Amino acid sequence: MKKLALILLMILVASCEDVIDVTLPENDIRLIVNGVIRVDETEEYVPIEITVTQSSSFFETNTVANIKNAVIYYGTPNLDAPEILEGGGVSNLTELEPGSGKWVPDPSFDSDQRIRVQNINEGDVFQLIIETEQERYFASTTYVKSVPIDSLEQGDQTLFSGDETEVIVTFTDNGERDDFYILDFDFNEYLVTEDEFYQGQTFVFSYFYDADLALDTDDTVEISLLGATEAFYNYMNQIIVQSGGDQGPFQTPAATVRGNITNITGIDNDDVKDNVERSNNFALGYFAIVQEYKKSIVIQHEEN
C-alpha cells in the first residue's frame, strides 16, 4: 500500500509541472570601449591599446565588436580656438590580431604611428574616433599628470571580520593644481580621491583587502596611482558605487553608467546638427590618457 501511495504521489507531482515562459529583459546592444591608457613617462612611447567589444543579450558574454577603423588625433589646444589642435599628430590604429578586439598603432604606415612620450604635455588633448559599418563614435580627453607613491607599508589593523589585510599608502599632492586621483589596488579594486582637503600635503590612508582575496605570505600586490580629469573621476566613482567595488570599470554594471564615448553618426550632415534626439545611443566605457605611478608590496603574515 505504501508503494502504491508513493507512485500516486510521483504521478501527481509530475502532472503539476507547467512550462513557464520567462521574459528576459531586452538589453540594448552597445559598444564597450576600454580606452584608459596609462602613461609611464620613463618609457619612450605611449602604450596605445584600445579594446572594443559589444554587449550581448541577457546571460551571454560580451563579444568582440566589428570595427572598420579607429584613429587618435592629439595636440595642444590653440589658445584662441581650443577645438584646433597644434603640434601633435595622428595615430591610425589597427586590430592587433583579427578577432582580438585590441587596437594598436598601425605599423603598416610609412610614418611611425606610435606617440612618443616626450611629445606630449599636461593639458594636451586626445581625440578618439571609432567607426563601425553603421555608426561613428567620438571621445575627447585631456592628458593628466599624477604624483609618485611615496611608500607602501603593511599595517596590522582590521575592520569587520578581523581577517582583512591592511596596506598603508602615502603620497604627496602637488599644491600647484587641483588634482583628482584613481587608485588601482589590483584584483579589480579601485578607489577615487581628490585633493580638496590635502592640497599640497602628504596624504596617508589605509586600504583593507577583504579576507575573500586570501592574500598569502609572499604574495605581491601592485598598486597604481593615476591622475584623472574631474569627468573621469566622477565616472569611476559611479562605477565603484554601483558595482559595490567588485567590478572593473569596463564590465557592464548593474545600471548603465555613461562614459565619454559619444555616438556622432550623421552629425557632419546638414540634416543632423547634434545628437540630442539620439541621446540614448552611446557606447559604454571610457577614453582617457593619464600618467601612472606604480609601486609593489610583498604581503607578510605572522605564522600561528
Side-chain angles (χ1 to χ4, degrees):
M1 185 66 181
K2 289 183 178 179
K3 184 175 181 181
L4 178 60
L6 179 59
I7 292 173
L8 289 172
L9 179 61
M10 292 174 64
I11 293 173
L12 287 171
V13 170
S15 65
C16 292
E17 291 182 355
D18 292 324
V19 176
I20 300 174
D21 292 326
V22 178
T23 303
L24 296 175
E26 294 184 3
N27 292 354
D28 293 330
I29 304 300
R30 296 188 186 276
L31 220 60
I32 304 174
V33 180
N34 180 343
V36 176
I37 298 166
R38 307 180 182 201
V39 178
D40 178 351
E41 293 196 349
T42 66
E43 299 293 330
E44 185 175 4
Y45 295 102
V46 176
I48 300 289
E49 182 175 292
I50 307 293
T51 302
V52 186
T53 57
Q54 66 180 21
S55 60
S56 302
S57 58
F58 204 73
F59 287 144
E60 294 184 3
T61 57
N62 295 335
T63 58
V64 173
N66 184 18
I67 301 302
K68 189 167 66 173
N69 60 64
V71 61
I72 291 175
Y73 299 91
Y74 63 98
T76 303
N78 182 286
L79 293 177
D80 298 322
E83 69 278 5
I84 299 176
L85 303 182
E86 300 177 335
V90 179
S91 179
N92 291 281
L93 308 183
T94 187
E95 197 169 18
L96 184 61
E97 295 178 359
S100 67
K102 296 179 179 180
W103 290 73
V104 298
D106 192 338
S108 66
F109 279 73
D110 292 336
S111 59
D112 194 344
Q113 298 297 294
R114 294 174 297 178
I115 302 173
R116 293 183 180 274
V117 171
Q118 66 181 17
N119 292 339
I120 66 173
N121 300 291
E122 184 173 24
D124 280 358
V125 170
F126 289 74
Q127 298 172 343
L128 170 68
I129 294 178
I130 296 174
E131 292 187 56
T132 68
E133 291 296 336
Q134 296 82 24
E135 298 183 302
R136 200 163 183 250
Y137 297 86
F138 172 82
S140 180
T141 191
T142 302
Y143 178 53
V144 183
K145 296 268 196 176
S146 184
V147 295
I149 298 173
D150 295 334
S151 66
L152 299 177
E153 298 178 11
Q154 185 175 342
D156 55 10
Q157 300 298 309
T158 59
L159 287 176
F160 306 110
S161 70
D163 294 323
E164 297 89 358
T165 300
E166 179 190 24
V167 172
I168 303 170
V169 182
T170 303
F171 65 87
T172 302
D173 178 66
N174 185 330
E176 297 181 358
R177 64 191 185 215
D178 295 328
D179 285 300
F180 298 87
Y181 301 105
I182 296 168
L183 285 126
D184 180 351
F185 288 96
D186 224 340
F187 315 105
N188 266 340
E189 302 275 331
Y190 294 88
L191 184 71
V192 296
T193 180
E194 59 177 305
D195 66 357
E196 180 180 2
F197 299 109
Y198 55 84
Q199 189 166 53
Q201 302 177 28
T202 298
F203 184 46
V204 183
F205 69 98
S206 292
Y207 186 82
F208 292 87
Y209 289 93
D210 193 273
D212 292 341
L213 288 175
L215 293 177
D216 295 324
T217 294
D218 294 332
D219 281 352
T220 299
V221 175
E222 186 175 73
I223 296 174
S224 296
L225 181 59
L226 313 177
T229 62
E230 185 173 2
F232 186 33
Y233 165 91
N234 290 333
Y235 169 81
M236 285 298 297
N237 189 41
Q238 291 181 67
I239 289 288
I240 293 168
V241 169
Q242 291 199 15
S243 67
D246 58 1
Q247 285 185 299
F250 302 101
Q251 301 177 39
T252 305
T256 300
V257 177
R258 185 164 185 168
N260 65 342
I261 317 292
T262 304
N263 189 314
I264 60 169
T265 306
I267 286 182
D268 54 349
N269 295 336
D270 292 338
D271 295 334
V272 182
K273 301 303 182 185
D274 54 43
N275 67 343
V276 172
E277 294 181 357
R278 297 171 293 122
S279 59
N280 289 325
N281 188 356
F282 58 89
L284 297 174
Y286 212 90
F287 174 59
I289 311 283
V290 299
Q291 186 182 25
E292 174 187 41
Y293 284 98
K294 295 187 291 189
K295 215 173 189 66
S296 297
I297 183 171
V298 178
I299 301 300
Q300 301 293 329
H301 293 296
E302 294 183 3
E303 296 184 1
N304 295 329

